[in-house]
């Protein structure tokens, strides 16, 4: 059975200072216990929970920053990152040499994808063994279908995320013994995305909209989560016809509602009415010590930092994005805006615990993957790409109106870019900006990652795809380097 030779080695080694809710405490199932483990619904649920736990661990690698370091840091949101390696990540200087033994180096962790494959292997394991559990061991056929749907969703999500980061990646859709592992090359991104489409459509057919346990709202996948993933896959492919149709599946269901923008920060505490899919880490018994808050907050929002924020916001970008003083997304989500060091306070739900002669801040904020305003604006983007300007403009102005901002009255020729800008306002520091700017560059040729991070020639040569860390190429001899970086590593 073909498996990727490298993907097990990293996930166990990466550590993260965090505590989790019970379902995220579940450990991934190992091949040594597969024979005796998969007996009933509870075992299947534990297997799926292990998949979510591994996804959470992956998005929190590199000092708890991976999700934001991939999606926000290398963009015009930030002017500087005064932290080891993250300054290079922000500048898209991703070819910095790192010794093979330095497995804790943030640059190496960002360039390695083994932890994604551990999460994928867990999904593959669930898809292999859950169908073998007798139906009478489940409370209902719906319960079994939902668990299988979650496994398909998790595999699709991990592969889509990887493809946006690296482009071509090895495609592994079976699980098996490590002894059977073989080296395999990178599959073309189109092949990987085709598998994502197959998996997410399977997930849609199996998942329900409602949650059997309301406590799982948004932090476990439902049918809306799967449709949101599907819409983003289509947008990344430039298939805006299907993107538009898919976003309607979510919006027309009326399962999600906007959070009142006077209470905007409630979104980031997690499980709001607007949340579609999130990574759970906001509960009383959860939280991260290594997290984005440590890098973007300062006193009085983070009392342990009395200096400037470690990552400095780009004040020019803020001024350009938030040119309407009535915009509640600015007044509610940013602070110290009259200073030279304004901060984004989306992740300011902080508690403090006493360590050994030190106060330790713990952030209680979910990672918000998909939410209603994201999907609304994705639909507006699709409509603009399809030259359905009036419908696109109506959705754009709906989102702006909810936030207290005035209607956008620009020309249709600038509408697509205006929607990407609106996503920049609405989804600031939510892991979307980098990918939004890639889609903007592909559609219009406009390159606006900030400063001198990437010019048009770089973009056309694929600089936005990350290099693979050379340590992986030592382990898997069939891997080749990402083309733009092949002469730079």
């Amino acid at each position: 059975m073909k498996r990727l030779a490298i993907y097990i080695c990293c996930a166990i080694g990466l550590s993260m200072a965090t505590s989790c809710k019970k379902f995220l405490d579940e450990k991934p199932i190992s091949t040594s216990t597969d024979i005796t483990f998969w007996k009933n619904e509870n075992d299947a649920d534990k297997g799926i929970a292990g998949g979510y736990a591994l996804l959470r661990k992956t998005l929190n690698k590199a000092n708890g920053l991976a999700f934001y370091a991939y999606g926000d840091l290398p963009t015009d949101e930030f002017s500087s990152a005064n932290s080891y390696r993250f300054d290079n990540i922000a500048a898209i200087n991703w070819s910095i040499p790192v010794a093979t033994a330095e497995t804790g180096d943030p640059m190496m962790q960002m360039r390695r994808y083994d932890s994604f494959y551990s999460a994928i292997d867990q999904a593959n394991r669930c898809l292999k063994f859950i169908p073998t559990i007798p139906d009478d061991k489940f409370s209902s056929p719906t319960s079994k279908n939902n668990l299988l749907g979650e496994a398909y969703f998790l595999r699709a999500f991990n592969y889509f995320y990887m493809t946006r980061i690296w482009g071509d990646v090895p495609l592994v859709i079976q699980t098996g013994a490590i002894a059977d592992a073989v080296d395999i090359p990178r599959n073309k991104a189109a092949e990987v995305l085709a598998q994502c489409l197959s998996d997410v459509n399977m997930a849609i057919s199996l998942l329900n909209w409602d949650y059997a346990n309301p406590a799982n709202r948004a932090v476990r996948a439902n049918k809306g989560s799967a449709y949101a993933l599907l819409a983003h896959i289509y947008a990344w492919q430039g298939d805006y016809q299907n993107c538009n149709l898919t976003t309607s599946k979510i919006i027309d269901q009326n399962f999600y509602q906007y959070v009142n923008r006077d209470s905007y920060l409630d979104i980031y505490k997690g499980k709001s009415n607007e949340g579609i899919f999130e990574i759970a880490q906001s509960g009383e018994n959860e939280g991260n010590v290594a997290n984005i808050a440590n890098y973007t907050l300062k006193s009085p929002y983070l009392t342990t930092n009395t200096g400037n924020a470690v990552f400095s916001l780009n004040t020019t970008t803020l001024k350009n994005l938030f040119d309407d003083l009535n915009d509640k997304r600015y007044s509610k989500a940013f602070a110290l805006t009259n200073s030279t060091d304004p901060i984004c306070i989306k992740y300011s739900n902080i508690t403090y615990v006493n360590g050994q002669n030190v106060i330790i801040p713990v952030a209680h904020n979910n990672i918000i993957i998909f939410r209603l305003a994201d999907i609304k604006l994705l639909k507006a983007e699709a409509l603009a790409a399809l030259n359905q300007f009036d419908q696109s403009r109506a959705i754009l102005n709906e989102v702006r109106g909810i936030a207290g901002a005035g209607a956008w009255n620009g020309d249709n020729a600038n509408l697509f870019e205006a929607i990407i800008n609106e996503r920049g306002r609405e989804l600031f520091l939510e892991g979307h900006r980098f990918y939004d700017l890639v889609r903007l560059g592909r559609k219009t040729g406009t390159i606006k990652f900030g400063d001198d991070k990437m010019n048009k020639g770089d973009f056309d040569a694929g600089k936005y795809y990350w290099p693979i860390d050379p340590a992986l190429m030592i382990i898997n001899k069939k891997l080749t380097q990402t083309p733009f970086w092949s002469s730079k590593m």
Side-chain angles (χ1 to χ4, degrees), residues 349-403:
N349 189 30
I350 307 292
T351 60
Y352 298 87
V353 297
N354 291 318
Q356 294 183 344
N357 300 317
V358 65
I359 301 297
I360 302 172
V362 181
H364 299 269
N365 302 281
N366 281 2
I367 295 177
I368 310 300
I369 306 291
F370 306 131
R371 60 182 176 95
L372 179 60
D374 156 37
I375 296 303
K376 287 274 192 172
L377 290 171
L378 200 64
K379 183 174 183 64
E381 177 184 331
L383 289 166
L386 296 169
N387 296 329
Q388 298 181 37
F389 299 121
D390 290 346
Q391 299 96 314
S392 174
R393 187 187 299 265
I395 297 172
L396 168 61
N397 286 331
E398 173 191 312
V399 173
R400 291 178 60 81
I402 291 291

Side-chain angles (χ1 to χ4, degrees), residues 268-341:
Y268 311 99
K269 296 176 183 178
K271 301 183 181 181
S272 73
N273 289 336
E274 190 162 329
I276 298 176
F277 183 59
E278 307 170 2
I279 303 300
Q281 50 190 40
S282 68
E284 183 178 348
N285 296 320
E286 297 176 313
N288 280 354
V289 173
N291 60 82
I292 187 63
N294 287 339
Y295 294 82
T296 56
L297 297 179
K298 64 179 181 179
S299 183
Y301 298 91
L302 183 67
T303 59
T304 53
N305 180 13
T306 57
N308 287 340
V310 179
F311 295 168
S312 298
L313 297 184
N314 188 322
T315 55
T316 300
T317 296
L318 288 183
K319 181 178 179 180
N320 291 337
L321 285 177
F322 296 99
D323 54 352
D324 190 324
L325 297 179
N326 296 316
D327 196 328
K328 295 177 182 179
R329 297 167 299 187
Y330 188 59
S331 61
K332 301 296 182 181
F334 294 85
L336 309 175
T337 53
N338 291 324
S339 73
T340 58
D341 187 39

Side-chain angles (χ1 to χ4, degrees), residues 13 24 55 79 87 114 141 153 155 197 200 203 213 238-239 246 298 321 331 354 391 421 483:
L24 278 180
L55 175 58
S79 61
D87 53 350
D114 349 19
F153 172 87
R155 186 166 73 182
L197 290 174
V200 76
N213 181 355
D239 183 354
T246 304
K298 64 179 181 179
L321 285 177
S331 61
N354 291 318
Q391 299 96 314
N421 289 340

Side-chain angles (χ1 to χ4, degrees), residues 45 53 58 106 115-116 123 136 138 140 194 199 212 286 294 411 421 455:
D45 190 65
T58 295
S115 57
F116 282 102
D136 63 5
F138 291 85
S140 69
D199 282 351
E286 297 176 313
N294 287 339
D411 296 332
N421 289 340
N455 60 37

Side-chain angles (χ1 to χ4, degrees), residues 34-252:
D34 277 332
I35 295 175
T36 59
F37 179 77
W38 303 91
K39 301 299 183 183
N40 52 47
E41 181 175 342
N42 186 53
D43 293 341
D45 190 65
K46 288 180 178 179
I48 294 295
Y52 286 108
L54 285 168
L55 175 58
R56 169 178 164 157
K57 187 173 187 177
T58 295
L59 297 184
N60 278 285
K61 66 181 179 177
N63 301 352
L65 291 178
F67 178 78
Y68 307 98
Y70 285 129
D72 292 295
L73 192 54
T75 75
D76 59 345
E77 290 181 353
F78 294 97
S79 61
S80 65
N82 298 312
S83 181
Y84 180 70
R85 295 302 193 207
F86 292 103
D87 53 350
N88 298 120
I89 291 170
I92 317 187
N93 186 9
W94 298 338
S95 58
I96 295 294
V98 180
T100 303
E102 299 296 324
T103 56
D105 188 294
M107 184 66 76
M108 177 182 282
Q109 291 188 7
M110 292 289 289
R111 294 192 306 221
R112 293 187 68 140
Y113 51 38
D114 349 19
S115 57
F116 282 102
Y117 281 104
S118 290
I120 288 166
D121 186 62
Q122 186 68 12
N124 287 342
R125 182 171 279 114
C126 290
L127 290 170
K128 178 179 179 179
F129 289 103
I130 290 176
T132 69
I133 301 174
D135 290 348
D136 63 5
K137 298 299 182 181
F138 291 85
S139 57
S140 69
T142 298
S143 297
K144 186 174 186 179
N145 285 341
N146 269 302
L147 290 166
L148 285 168
E150 287 181 275
Y152 279 111
F153 172 87
L154 286 168
R155 186 166 73 182
F157 181 85
N158 278 283
Y159 270 124
F160 174 59
Y161 207 91
M162 290 175 65
T163 301
R164 289 195 302 181
I165 296 168
W166 288 283
D168 302 344
V169 294
L171 183 60
V172 183
I173 57 173
Q174 293 178 309
T175 188
I178 294 176
D180 297 331
V182 296
D183 292 352
I184 61 174
R186 300 170 75 164
N187 291 75
K188 294 296 184 182
E191 298 175 62
V192 180
L193 289 173
Q195 182 65 48
C196 291
L197 290 174
S198 175
D199 282 351
V200 76
N201 278 304
M202 280 296 297
I204 288 168
S205 72
L206 293 165
L207 290 166
N208 280 347
W209 282 97
D210 292 321
Y211 293 93
N213 181 355
N216 289 332
R217 182 184 177 93
V219 299
R220 294 185 69 160
N222 71 340
K223 196 181 291 286
S225 309
Y227 273 129
L229 174 57
L230 181 60
H232 271 278
I233 295 171
Y234 283 137
W236 187 253
Q237 291 180 311
D239 183 354
Y240 283 112
Q241 186 69 46
N242 277 315
C243 178
N244 177 44
L245 294 172
T246 304
T247 54
S248 291
K249 298 285 188 181
I250 303 167
I251 295 166
D252 293 348

